Structure formats: structure tokens, C-alpha cells
Amino acid sequence: ETRQAKEMAAARRRWETLIREQKIKTLTPREAGYTFKLTDKVLLDVRPSNERQKAWVKGSTWIPVFDVDTSSDLNGLSKKAFNFMIGGWWSGSSTMSFNKNFVQQTEEKFSKDTDIILVCQKGLR
């Protein structure tokens, strides 16, 4: 078993524990919309810019976990070339890079006791 597979399995176990303990709840888009309108919870959109451009939620705050990699350094160019070779040219998918400031930006925007509804496209973030 690879290191990445072990880390993913551990993350899944942590996620399942949080759901079981009701610290996290998965909502449908409709449930999230009603919750946002009827409570003081805030919406945090964590999708990359290319997904947010397709549709965004009025009143939400946008802080992407990953975003389209616009770097032109050697590392960025090699990631883009690899993505292109493994099918990015066919699927039209962009090369993404992790937002290293995500936690800091979120902590600056919201207090620790804020109830947050995370918005993502597929529920994987």
C-alpha cells in the first residue's frame, strides 16, 4: 500500500468519524440554500475559479482550496505538461495548485465559532 493510499484511507476514517459524531453534515444544494437563508450560517465557496465562473452563490465568500495553476516556473510547466500527456488535452481539465493560504484566509475571514456551510461542486473537498 502506498503512502498516498494510507493517507487517503486515514482521511476517510476521520471524515466518517466527524459525520458519525454529527460535527459535519452533508447537505443537498437545496438544504444548503434553505439553511443559508433561514439561519446565520455563512457559505464558504471552496471551488477553484474555473468552477466558480460557471455558477456562484450570491452572498457566499470565495476562498478556493485549489485553484487553476497559472505559474510559469519550471515546476508549474512540468505539471502542466504531465497533465496534458495524461489526458488533460482531451478532458479540458486544468492543472490545479493547492492554496497554501487557505487556512489563514479562512481564519482571517471567520471567527472560530462561525457555523460554515462549505460549497463545492462534487462534495469531494
Side-chain angles (χ1 to χ4, degrees), residues 46-53 62-70 79 94-99 125:
V46 297
R47 299 173 300 155
S49 57
N50 61 341
E51 290 179 15
R52 188 171 189 266
Q53 289 170 353
W62 179 58
I63 306 174
V65 174
F66 293 92
D67 207 358
V68 177
D69 189 351
T70 58
K79 283 196 299 186
S94 302
T95 304
M96 298 287 161
S97 61
F98 178 68
N99 178 2
R125 295 180 196 101

Side-chain angles (χ1 to χ4, degrees), residues 50-83:
N50 61 341
E51 290 179 15
R52 188 171 189 266
Q53 289 170 353
K54 294 175 187 174
W56 60 277
V57 180
K58 186 176 182 179
S60 65
T61 299
W62 179 58
I63 306 174
V65 174
F66 293 92
D67 207 358
V68 177
D69 189 351
T70 58
S71 64
S72 57
D73 62 0
L74 185 58
N75 185 34
L77 292 174
S78 65
K79 283 196 299 186
K80 289 174 188 174
F82 180 75
N83 182 55

Side-chain angles (χ1 to χ4, degrees), residues 36-48:
F36 178 60
K37 287 180 182 177
L38 300 173
T39 67
D40 61 348
K41 292 175 177 32
V42 297
L43 286 177
L44 175 57
D45 188 344
V46 297
R47 299 173 300 155

Side-chain angles (χ1 to χ4, degrees), residues 94-109:
S94 302
T95 304
M96 298 287 161
S97 61
F98 178 68
N99 178 2
K100 295 174 185 162
N101 299 316
F102 175 78
V103 172
Q104 176 188 348
Q105 291 170 332
T106 304
E107 287 175 340
E108 288 172 0
K109 184 70 179 175

